[in-house]
Structures are given as structure tokens and as C-alpha cells.
Amino acid sequence: MSHFLRQCAVVARRDFLAVVATPTFLLFLLAPLIMIIIAITGGSGATQAAQSTVDAARIAVIAAPQDAFDIKAADDHLRAVNGSDFLPKLEIIPTHGKDETLAAALFGARKTDYLAVMFGDLKKPVIRHEESSVRSAGLLAEIAEQVVRSRAAGTPITQSMSHPVLQPIKAARAGVGGQRTTAYFAVFGIFFLTLLLAGQSVGMLAEEKSNKVIEILAAALPLEAVFLGKLIGMFGVALLFVTFWSVMIGAALFFTDAGGTIMAMLSPAVGMGPFLILCGLYFTMSYMLLGAVFLGVGGQAATIRDIQMLSLPITILQVAMYGIASKGVAQPESTLARFAEIFPFSSAYAMAGHAANDPALWPHALALIWQALWVAATIFFAARLFRIGVLKSGGGLRAAFGLKAKTD
């Protein structure tokens, strides 16, 4: 076993340096920076478009001057209670006796989008609104209700009748909402990093197969040691990538207010320290399993087109596994969640989410052993298929499944 591990280490070191000690690795390391710049640019444009839509939206009340103060006070009160981030602004327009005609003219305005217009007696107002603006119409109806109630009680809207005493307490446990949010972030993070980084192994093995380097390695070392060594070497590259960006993102969060906000949102059931360790282990297992599958694909592919055709179903499978795991962490006790935790290609994602939802640690020991067995089996099977299908040795495809060859 020690000899086998030394052979793996030789291949891992060779592949790690072959990737890291090149100028293109710097471009690979900084590639997410380009993605971030594009995302910020696109997000900024989308935010400006959304903000311009909000700024152009209005609700209007056509009312007598003596009603304007009460209507404005009711609107301010409702916005303070319900939040005003995406509520359209209120305009109070003096009545001129032809309220219905004025309301129709407002809906035809070019520079402003009037979503709802209220006119008439506040005890029985008429509210015209766009078909999709029921919420805006409801806001106007509630404004009228507040004004009428206030006048009936003889109390100004700005005067509070109740004086509550607020008593903040510290939560005795992590909230369920925070746990579910943490679980989803864990599932998405592991899925994203695995899919982004594990595919590198496909091209490397296909390239070495085309220039006959893999045949030299296979002649000198057991093929299983070559595959495992390549997997470890590429995982070292992935680990360097993750470490670099973790430090960069951690530093950015440390010097901004966003770090405290994000940490307040995350509340894993097992505790933050064990949760981060488990996420690292599950990322390792997820990368190893998917990387082993991609190695098998790269070993069987003869051209770049073959790699693309064979990699696409694997990518689709992983996206499906991500969807199942995401659905499972939202329903921790469901049958779907148990299936996602057991099925090998979704187990790492789902168990990372499980750590956020459940404080028990012993299931993770079983899950990590289960996933490690699948990694070993996948490497073994991929090596056998490569030996039989590419190197043309090993007793044919029947031997890949551990069957004896037929004899006459």
C-alpha cells in the first residue's frame, strides 16, 4: 500500500506542477474575476432598469385640499408599517370637479406609469387600476379606510393609541430559516465549485492519450495509481484555486459591513467550525467522484468532440443532482432528502445541507465512508475500462465487470 501511495504521489506531483507552473494558470486563477466584473456590470444595469421602473410608477388620489393632509399621513403610516422599498409613490392631485375624466387622462400619461387612481368620496371611493396592479389598488383602499376610521374615532392618524414595550431576547437556538439558508448555500457552493473545477481532468487525460504519454505511465505504474495520482494532482490545483479565492473573499468581507450581515444569516445546526470542516470534506468527496467519472470519460474519448458529447450527460446529471439536493434540504425529513443523502452523486451536496439542518455528527462519518467507497470503485472501474478499451489488454469488456472470459 505504501508503494502504491508513493506511485500516486509521483503522478500527483507531476500533474500538479504541469498545471500550476504555467502562465495560463494565472489566467485560470483570475477567471472568476472576469465573471464577477461581468456579473456586477449586468447586475448594475438590471438594478438601474428596475429602479427606473419603480421611479416611474405612481399611485394617485384625486382629492379635495382639506383631505390631502390625512391621506398623506395615512400613506406614510402604511409605508412605515409595511415597508416602502417597492411601493409606488403617492401623488395627491387636487380635484376640479371632473375626477373621472382626469383619472382617465392620468392612465394615458407618457412619462409616468399610473398604476391606480382613486377619486370620489373616501367612504365609498372609486379606484381604477391596471389589471396587474391589484396590490396598488389595495394600498389606496387601505389609505381611504385609515382616513375614515381616524375621523370616526376623532383621533389623528399620527397619534398612536397603543404604546408597546419591546423586550428583545437572544434566541436559544439557531432559527429554522437560518439553517435552511445555510443548507442551500452549502449545496450551491459545493455544486458550483465541483462543476467548475472537476472538468479539467477530462482534457488532461485525453491530451496525454493522444501524445502517448499515458501509455508510458501505464507501462511503468499500475493504471489505478496513475488515475488516483492524476485525481489528487488536479484536486491540489482545485484546492489552490479555492484557497486563493477564499482568502480574497474573506478579506473583502472583513473590511466591509457585508461580512457581519452574511455571518448573521448563516446558522448551521452543528456549529460553524464543524460545518466548515464538513463542507471541505464533502467538497473533496464530490470533486473526487466527479473527477473520477470525468477521467473515465477522458480516457475513452478520442477527440474533443467525443469529450463534449460524453461530458454533457454527466453535467446534466450533476445539475439534476443539485436540484434534488436543494429540494431535499428544504424538506429535511422527506423521502427525497433521504434519497439525495444516499445516492452517491448527490450525497455530498445533500449531506452538506444535512449538517446545516441537523446537529448530529455520526451520520457524516457513515456518509464520508460511503462516498469514499464510491470514489474508489469509480477509479477502479475507469482504470479497467481504459486498460481494456484503449490499451487493448485485460481480457475484454467482460473482465471490466469481473467476469471470466468464455472458453471454447
Side-chain angles (χ1 to χ4, degrees):
M1 179 59 70
S2 61
H3 182 60
F4 178 80
L5 293 177
R6 284 197 300 271
Q7 293 172 332
C8 294
V10 171
V11 177
R13 180 178 179 275
R14 170 188 173 274
D15 284 15
F16 178 80
L17 292 177
V19 174
V20 173
T22 58
T24 55
F25 178 71
L26 184 61
L27 295 176
F28 167 73
L29 200 62
L30 297 178
L33 186 61
I34 301 174
M35 297 171 59
I36 292 172
I37 293 173
I38 294 174
I40 291 175
T41 304
S44 176
T47 302
Q48 290 178 0
Q51 188 61 44
S52 65
T53 302
V54 173
D55 292 341
R58 296 286 190 279
I59 56 174
V61 178
I62 303 173
Q66 61 269 24
D67 294 330
F69 178 81
D70 289 339
I71 292 172
K72 181 67 168 60
D75 178 67
D76 291 341
H77 174 72
L78 291 173
R79 289 172 188 271
V81 172
N82 300 319
S84 59
D85 291 342
F86 296 101
L87 293 179
K89 295 179 181 179
L90 172 69
E91 282 189 12
I92 302 176
I93 302 173
T95 179
H96 295 291
K98 296 182 179 180
D99 296 345
E100 189 171 351
T101 303
L102 180 56
L106 290 176
F107 283 107
R110 292 187 176 183
K111 295 184 178 181
T112 305
D113 294 329
Y114 287 94
L115 305 180
V117 178
M118 181 171 68
F119 57 92
D121 185 4
L122 291 177
K123 291 184 178 180
K124 195 175 181 181
V126 177
I127 301 176
R128 288 187 177 178
H129 64 92
E130 297 285 349
E131 291 182 352
S132 60
S133 302
V134 178
R135 184 182 179 190
S136 298
L139 177 59
L140 289 177
E142 188 60 29
I143 289 174
E145 178 72 13
Q146 289 286 332
V147 173
V148 172
R149 283 179 178 273
S150 173
R151 290 176 176 177
T155 305
I157 295 173
T158 55
Q159 181 179 339
S160 298
M161 300 298 293
S162 175
H163 304 281
V165 178
L166 303 180
Q167 296 181 343
I169 61 172
K170 186 176 181 180
R173 61 175 180 82
V176 174
Q179 291 177 357
R180 301 287 166 81
T181 301
T182 307
Y184 177 76
F185 279 147
V187 171
F188 175 76
I190 294 176
F191 162 76
F192 177 76
L193 290 175
T194 302
L195 204 61
L196 176 67
L197 301 171
Q200 302 173 78
S201 54
V202 181
M204 176 172 286
L205 190 59
E207 180 183 351
E208 292 189 347
K209 190 180 72 170
S210 64
N211 58 26
K212 307 300 181 181
V213 172
I214 191 66
E215 296 183 7
I216 299 173
L217 290 174
L221 303 172
L223 206 51
E224 289 77 10
V226 174
F227 273 55
L228 180 58
K230 287 185 171 298
L231 202 54
I232 294 173
M234 296 310 298
F235 178 70
V237 175
L239 204 58
L240 185 61
F241 177 92
V242 172
T243 302
F244 173 80
W245 279 104
S246 296
V247 172
M248 295 292 289
I249 294 173
L253 294 178
F254 180 78
F255 291 107
T256 61
D257 295 334
T261 304
I262 293 175
M263 292 303 295
M265 291 173 54
L266 304 180
S267 53
V270 297
M272 186 57 71
F275 177 72
L276 293 177
I277 294 173
L278 287 171
C279 283
L281 293 174
Y282 285 128
F283 167 66
T284 301
M285 291 302 170
S286 175
Y287 181 93
M288 289 291 186
L289 182 58
L290 190 60
V293 173
F294 275 131
L295 275 178
V297 169
Q300 297 301 310
T303 63
I304 298 298
R305 178 177 295 181
D306 290 343
I307 291 176
Q308 294 173 343
M309 293 298 293
L310 292 172
S311 298
L312 181 60
I314 300 172
T315 303
I316 294 174
L317 172 65
Q318 286 305 112
V319 173
M321 294 301 99
Y322 163 70
I324 291 174
S326 299
K327 187 71 173 178
V329 297
Q331 303 170 1
E333 303 300 327
S334 64
T335 304
L336 181 65
R338 293 290 174 262
F339 170 80
E341 292 166 2
I342 295 173
F343 192 69
F345 289 96
S346 61
S347 179
Y349 309 150
M351 288 305 298
H354 184 93
N357 289 325
D358 194 322
L361 292 175
W362 65 265
H364 301 287
L366 296 178
L368 290 169
I369 294 172
W370 170 249
Q371 292 163 24
L373 290 174
W374 273 94
V375 171
T378 305
I379 292 174
F380 176 79
F381 186 68
R384 278 213 161 191
L385 280 180
F386 185 81
R387 181 183 293 115
I388 295 163
V390 179
L391 300 182
K392 307 300 181 182
S393 63
L397 287 176
R398 292 177 62 84
F401 295 91
L403 302 175
K404 294 182 179 179
K406 291 183 178 181
T407 56
D408 294 335

